[in-house]
Amino acid sequence: MNWKLLKATMLGASTMLSTHAAIAQEAAAGADEGRAIYLDQMTVTTTRNPLPAFDAPGMVTVIDRDEIQRVQPSTPDDVLKFVPGVEFTGGPRRTGESPSIRGFSGADVVVLLDGARQNFGSAHDGRFFIDPELLRSIEVLRGSASSLYGSGGTGGVMEFKTARAGDFLEPGQTHGARVAAGYQDVNSEEFGSLTAYAQSEAGIDLIGNVTYRDSGAIDLGGGGQLTNSDDNVISGMLKAGAEVSEDHYVEASYVSFFNKAEEPNNGQGLGGADAVEKDISSQTFRLGYTYDNPDDKLLNLDITAYYNLAKADELRLDNLGNGPAGELLTRDVETIGFRVDNRSAVTLADNLASLITYGLEYYRDEQTGEAGGVVRDGVPNAEADTFGAFAQAEFTIDHLGPIPGELLLITGARFDYYSIESDVGGGSKTKETAVSPRIALTYKPLPWAMTFASYGDAFRAPTFDELFLTGVHFQIPIGPGITNRFVPNPDLKPQRTETFEFGGGLQFDNVIQSGDRLQAKGSYFYIYGEDFIALDVVQPSPFIDCNPFIPGNCDGTTTSRNIAKAELEGFEAEGGYESHRFKAALGYSSITGEDASTGDPIGTLAPDQFTASFGVKIPEIDGFVGWRGIFAAKFDDTDSAAEVRSAYNTHDFYASYAPREGLLSGFRLDFGVDNAFDEEYSRTFTGANEPGRNFKAQVSYRLNF
């Protein structure tokens, strides 16, 4: 990416569409000169402005729709497990999958859907519910992000962006439809999707989609099944956008996910012997407005307002759980919010440009829960309000006097105020403020080399459940019965981190043949944390620590507490090579974390891990064949023997055929096999093996006019 082009973008055409157009023009102009013709992957999540992912002062991965399609994903985990520093725990059931970034999970990771926060939180029901069929791209920002995103920016940000009509249309086409069907045998999943879309010269963009998935028992690596794992999913999207007048664009969307599942109350790991019928749903309504006038240097506006309702209703089908058959358990989380961003471009000198981004954000979360019509244990009725104000300045400097090269300097801060209250114990309320500064820079001494450094403060507010949990956590049927009870802790402090990160990258064009590209980037990070929030489960062992036949003698407690000081550090690297014939990528991640006072491991840690892929393009028939693998080392960074994991490696093979011309134009066939050698393995903090060998195929047809 030419930084002069980036500077021009900052001084006017700052939308992603105009940036992509500029890059495409540059690529076309350079094709005859032997330069690489591949579009740079652009990130918006990193700075709220378009920036080549390679030039960002940090580690960010952008996955486009074509890569998503090649994976034939059933859940987001299928795509994101190849991203360095990202791990999913909770086991193979889609309702239990929970993501982590650099050892942070749950509320420590900001999840966005087209800019709308997905704040659902549950101990055993996963974190968010999105069908990958709807997506045009995914951005994963690793590291401190609170200076722009507030609470939850300790681990990073996952932003999912849904498709538009333009993603399916070629130049000169105005409308069309796409139908797709598929099957995977590891869980007998049937898949079907229908998408219709239209785009007019008047600037109107319309798209609608409905997707269906039906699956059953999951075959596990090395043998065995998760038999109580039935899913019936219907998801969909309606989106309409219009250029109401020159420089003004409005958009409205509705994205839904409904899953009727039959599985244990705890859907993670193997689960228990009990069975429940779960109705899992997520509905997101969004309104957006953009003002983008290239001649207006001071006003470049984005406004997003949204409402999300996430529900997890569970009907007990037997008496094997902690309640009677027929009991209905509910958990509803409503989020309403808005965000306003503006950009002002300023030219300070011939070689110095600045883009100032500033704005406001507000969101409100409200949780309610019931069990048999009364307040549900472990799901406190509570509400939280968060208000944030932020500002960020990006400076691009060309020609640093006698020092060669170009510099991108980013500095910013965000102020947050939050209040959380519940009616637990007659009423309790906590409120705090936080200031989250950040400074980062990228220096390019040569066109093909870059180095970066960053420092960022981040925080994460305690959740409803961490503050106000009450009631029974679990029971053990020995003697008169053993009960572990939740104990609320309304005095929890917000979790704070300071992250230092250093790294660099290399990018070469025309390495082996004209038009190819080789790129690599890596970093080291150190995170110092205060008041880390940990869940303590204290449960005496029957017949060892206590006498279970004495009522109450073996009872235990579960409560959240702050850990005074914690430290995490690690390495990440990713790189790739692409030519007209080949495409390859490598990734690596390593992380350790400990309680600075005791030395005990802390965080959602994972083993050292390599990822690799290699593909061959077959333009003669518009085909592609490839392989990808994950190579994980033995994991023993734990003080629990049950959490030790053996080393493992998995291998996937895949192919696609998508004719561009002729009678089969619009047709696409994808097929492959995941975990081809049926590796038996389990991820950390997951009490079940991952899926075994999985043959899958998908066919689609797109008809445009």
Side-chain angles (χ1 to χ4, degrees):
M1 171 67 178
N2 188 322
W3 275 34
K4 291 181 180 178
L5 175 61
L6 175 61
K7 177 180 175 182
T9 300
M10 295 173 66
L11 294 177
S14 60
T15 67
M16 178 177 286
L17 293 177
S18 60
T19 303
H20 275 183
I23 298 170
Q25 291 172 5
E26 181 186 77
D32 295 335
E33 302 173 21
R35 300 208 307 266
I37 63 173
Y38 306 103
L39 296 184
D40 289 288
Q41 290 283 13
M42 302 297 294
T43 172
V44 176
T45 305
T46 302
T47 63
R48 303 294 302 173
N49 299 298
L51 180 69
F54 178 76
D55 292 341
M59 300 298 288
V60 58
T61 298
V62 181
I63 305 170
D64 61 26
R65 182 169 175 81
D66 191 54
E67 285 297 313
I68 294 172
Q69 282 188 289
R70 284 178 184 161
V71 176
Q72 298 181 61
S74 178
T75 71
D77 172 37
D78 294 335
V79 182
L80 295 176
K81 65 184 178 183
F82 296 99
V83 178
V86 174
E87 186 69 285
F88 275 74
T89 60
R93 293 189 185 92
R94 77 179 72 238
T95 59
E97 293 179 351
S98 182
S100 66
I101 300 178
R102 290 185 174 177
F104 293 91
S105 60
D108 284 296
V109 176
V110 176
V111 178
L112 303 174
L113 177 62
D114 290 332
R117 284 182 175 257
Q118 308 295 293
N119 287 351
F120 179 80
S122 169
H124 303 301
D125 288 322
R127 174 68 206 283
F128 60 91
F129 307 103
I130 299 170
D131 196 294
E133 173 69 7
L134 309 176
L135 301 177
R136 70 181 305 197
S137 67
I138 306 172
E139 291 188 39
V140 181
L141 170 64
R142 282 100 79 193
S144 178
S146 287
S147 64
L148 282 175
Y149 296 98
S151 177
T154 45
V157 181
M158 291 182 175
E159 182 158 18
F160 299 83
K161 299 180 181 181
T162 57
R164 291 178 173 176
D167 297 318
F168 299 91
L169 295 169
E170 302 292 341
Q173 298 175 342
T174 59
H175 61 284
R178 175 182 177 270
V179 62
Y183 181 81
Q184 63 176 30
D185 78 331
V186 77
N187 60 347
S188 303
E189 179 173 292
E190 300 171 352
F191 159 81
S193 174
L194 175 63
T195 307
Y197 41 86
Q199 194 175 63
S200 74
E201 293 182 359
I204 297 176
D205 190 289
L206 303 172
I207 186 169
N209 169 273
V210 60
T211 296
Y212 170 80
R213 298 183 189 272
D214 184 79
S215 60
I218 303 171
D219 295 332
L220 303 179
Q225 277 190 334
L226 283 182
T227 56
N228 46 357
S229 306
D230 293 335
D231 287 318
N232 188 286
V233 181
I234 296 179
S235 58
M237 176 178 69
L238 291 172
K239 184 190 290 189
E243 188 175 339
V244 293
S245 63
E246 189 174 7
D247 309 323
H248 299 269
Y249 188 82
V250 296
E251 186 175 77
S253 65
Y254 167 70
V255 178
S256 65
F257 179 98
F258 296 95
N259 181 16
K260 185 176 288 292
E262 186 173 321
E263 60 189 32
N265 169 256
N266 179 355
Q268 297 183 322
L270 293 173
D274 62 322
V276 300
E277 182 181 272
K278 290 187 180 180
D279 285 315
I280 303 287
S281 65
S282 176
Q283 300 179 79
T284 300
F285 301 82
R286 176 184 169 274
L287 291 173
Y289 165 77
T290 300
Y291 170 74
D292 179 27
N293 180 354
D295 297 324
D296 191 339
K297 300 296 189 289
L298 298 180
L299 192 64
N300 187 288
L301 194 62
D302 284 323
I303 301 175
T304 298
Y306 57 89
Y307 169 78
N308 174 257
L309 173 61
K311 298 169 64 71
D313 296 343
E314 305 174 6
L315 178 66
R316 296 191 188 277
L317 301 179
D318 53 43
N319 297 314
L320 301 178
N322 289 335
E327 182 181 48
L328 179 63
L329 311 175
T330 69
R331 181 196 296 265
D332 297 352
V333 177
E334 294 182 85
T335 302
I336 185 169
F338 70 86
R339 183 181 179 109
V340 181
D341 298 70
N342 187 54
R343 297 152 193 83
S344 298
V346 181
T347 303
L348 303 175
D350 289 341
N351 68 331
L352 177 60
S354 176
L355 181 63
I356 303 172
T357 304
Y358 48 94
L360 303 171
E361 182 179 20
Y362 167 79
Y363 57 93
R364 176 184 178 86
D365 296 317
E366 184 173 351
Q367 175 176 273
T368 57
E370 291 185 351
V374 299
V375 175
R376 179 180 176 183
D377 290 349
V379 185
N381 294 336
E383 55 193 37
D385 292 277
T386 301
F387 172 81
F390 55 90
Q392 173 187 268
E394 300 174 57
F395 300 94
T396 57
I397 308 170
D398 295 332
H399 314 301
L400 304 171
I403 304 175
E406 301 165 326
L407 183 74
L408 170 65
L409 173 65
I410 302 174
T411 182
R414 172 167 165 149
F415 170 83
D416 279 277
Y417 165 83
Y418 70 84
S419 65
I420 309 174
E421 58 183 315
S422 173
D423 56 9
V424 170
S428 182
K429 183 174 183 177
T430 181
K431 54 184 179 180
E432 291 278 356
T433 61
V435 177
S436 306
R438 178 181 185 241
I439 184 169
L441 63 88
T442 296
Y443 173 54
K444 297 186 75 171
L446 297 166
W448 46 266
M450 63 86 73
T451 184
F452 68 87
S454 70
Y455 165 81
D457 267 16
F459 86 102
R460 196 266 284 175
T463 66
F464 301 141
D465 295 344
E466 291 166 338
L467 288 165
F468 305 124
L469 280 178
T470 60
V472 174
H473 184 191
F474 60 84
Q475 293 179 318
I476 303 174
I478 299 178
I482 300 170
T483 303
N484 186 286
R485 293 179 173 84
F486 290 115
V487 178
N489 184 1
D491 297 322
L492 276 177
K493 299 177 182 178
Q495 182 171 289
R496 299 301 308 247
T497 61
E498 294 179 272
T499 299
F500 302 84
E501 187 166 2
F502 312 92
L506 299 171
Q507 179 174 278
F508 301 99
D509 294 339
N510 308 314
V511 180
I512 300 175
Q513 64 183 78
S514 177
D516 68 0
R517 170 170 290 178
L518 177 66
Q519 188 179 88
K521 187 176 181 181
S523 79
Y524 162 79
F525 58 88
Y526 169 79
I527 303 169
Y528 173 77
E530 294 183 345
D531 296 319
F532 265 42
I533 299 174
L535 187 69
D536 279 352
V537 180
V538 179
Q539 181 57 58
S541 298
F543 305 107
I544 298 175
D545 301 318
C546 60
N547 185 343
F549 294 100
I550 299 177
N553 192 239
C554 287
D555 288 356
T557 60
T558 298
T559 190
S560 296
R561 66 178 177 92
N562 289 113
I563 295 175
K565 301 181 187 301
E567 296 176 337
L568 295 94
E569 65 177 336
F571 297 88
E572 289 175 0
E574 56 185 342
Y577 171 80
E578 185 167 3
S579 71
H580 296 284
R581 180 64 70 179
F582 302 106
K583 186 171 185 177
L586 290 172
Y588 172 74
S589 61
S590 174
I591 186 168
T592 60
E594 66 177 23
D595 183 326
S597 300
T598 65
D600 294 334
I602 192 172
T604 308
L605 303 180
D608 292 358
Q609 186 168 282
F610 286 93
T611 59
S613 66
F614 180 77
V616 179
K617 303 175 185 179
I618 313 174
E620 295 83 357
I621 61 170
D622 297 319
F624 188 95
V625 295
W627 159 87
R628 57 181 167 256
I630 297 176
F631 304 87
K634 179 181 179 180
F635 178 79
D636 56 10
D637 191 7
T638 175
D639 54 7
S640 171
E643 290 300 329
V644 173
R645 296 290 184 269
S646 300
Y648 66 86
N649 58 80
T650 66
H651 302 268
D652 304 342
F653 299 91
Y654 58 97
S656 62
Y657 171 57
R660 297 176 181 270
E661 299 176 346
L663 294 176
L664 292 178
S665 175
F667 173 83
R668 177 173 179 136
L669 174 64
D670 291 276
F671 57 92
V673 54
D674 295 341
N675 194 6
F677 303 115
D678 200 32
E679 180 82 350
E680 181 178 358
Y681 71 101
S682 174
R683 294 176 178 178
T684 57
F685 305 100
T686 299
N689 287 340
E690 294 298 311
R693 184 183 297 109
N694 180 27
F695 293 96
K696 57 186 181 181
Q698 182 174 310
V699 61
S700 66
Y701 182 69
R702 182 177 63 186
L703 182 62
N704 293 346
F705 303 92

